[in-house]
Amino acid sequence: MTTSTPLLLVNLAAEAERKSAEVTNWPGRIAWVVGLALFVALVYWLMREGWKWRSTLQGDLPELPQAPGTAGEPKLTLSGRYHGSTTAHQWLDRIVARGLGTRSRAELTLTDAGLAVGRPGADDFFVPAGQLRGARLDKGIAGKVLTEGGLLVVTWEHGDRLIDSGFRSDRSTEHPAWVAALNDMIEQHDKQTEGAR
């Protein structure tokens, strides 16, 4: 046996030891996964509590009106999505009371009586013609940002609040016709109101 043989054996033993070293620290990984799951659960719980708190702050919002039985002939209809409501012209101040914070599919119907919003899976509501204040194309509302003009925003009065509600049609080419029809309806209603005084 030569002098290099013990060195070779030592090198082989060191190499075998390196190969057999623990590759995965399972207790450490499990602790990280559990910690991450707890963190996600905490964030979700805080968001839920914030939503409840916001709903409590907005508890003075009256019940949403329901569509009358005889609303009249539809002027326009729209199928799409309801993206939420905010305080008028404050696109990040979301309103969650009375179910207005629940995103859903939406069926809009505009009649002489007002705007009916049918929402499968959420509460329907109705905006009487006298409470409509304006309509415009916009690019965002709390929690949803689209391209410029991708969102139909209807401003309406409910109780002592002005509210912006955001809708997106399945066919966005319908948005300009809705803006024109709503603003024309509001202008006619304002003229009738002034004439009655």
Side-chain angles (χ1 to χ4, degrees):
M1 204 173 204
T2 65
T3 316
S4 63
T5 305
L7 283 174
L8 181 63
L9 290 174
V10 168
N11 284 341
L12 287 174
E15 185 67 29
E17 196 173 303
R18 248 182 280 145
K19 285 184 180 177
S20 66
E22 189 176 334
V23 176
T24 305
N25 178 4
W26 285 108
R29 281 196 178 189
I30 291 170
W32 272 103
V33 169
V34 169
L36 183 61
L38 288 173
F39 177 73
V40 168
L42 174 66
V43 168
Y44 175 78
W45 179 79
L46 289 172
M47 288 171 57
R48 189 166 175 255
E49 289 302 306
W51 193 269
K52 284 183 186 176
W53 176 72
R54 183 174 282 273
S55 182
T56 302
L57 288 178
Q58 298 166 351
D60 62 335
L61 192 70
E63 288 290 329
L64 297 174
Q66 297 301 309
T70 55
E73 279 296 309
K75 292 181 171 188
L76 284 174
T77 59
L78 177 146
S79 292
R81 296 204 55 83
Y82 168 75
H83 287 291
S85 293
T86 64
T87 302
H89 307 294
Q90 296 180 20
W91 74 286
L92 290 175
D93 186 19
R94 184 189 299 263
I95 295 177
V96 300
R98 307 291 181 212
L100 288 175
T102 306
R103 289 186 181 173
S104 63
R105 291 284 306 158
E107 299 289 330
L108 273 63
T109 306
L110 182 65
T111 65
D112 287 329
L115 176 66
V117 181
R119 300 188 302 157
D123 293 337
D124 299 345
F125 62 95
F126 180 74
V127 181
Q131 293 178 334
L132 289 167
R133 296 293 178 256
R136 69 183 187 278
L137 296 179
D138 212 328
K139 64 180 178 181
I141 200 159
K144 187 66 175 180
V145 177
L146 301 162
T147 58
E148 189 67 46
L151 198 65
L152 169 65
V153 177
V154 178
T155 303
W156 53 290
E157 186 176 358
H158 186 55
D160 60 349
R161 292 180 194 230
L162 277 180
I163 298 172
D164 281 346
S165 292
F167 304 93
R168 180 166 173 80
S169 173
D170 291 336
R171 294 174 300 282
S172 61
T173 55
E174 296 177 329
H175 289 171
W178 271 83
V179 170
L182 283 162
N183 286 328
D184 184 51
M185 185 176 183
I186 292 163
E187 189 178 316
Q188 287 177 10
H189 186 271
D190 288 347
K191 285 180 183 176
Q192 289 173 358
T193 306
E194 286 174 14
R197 288 181 185 168

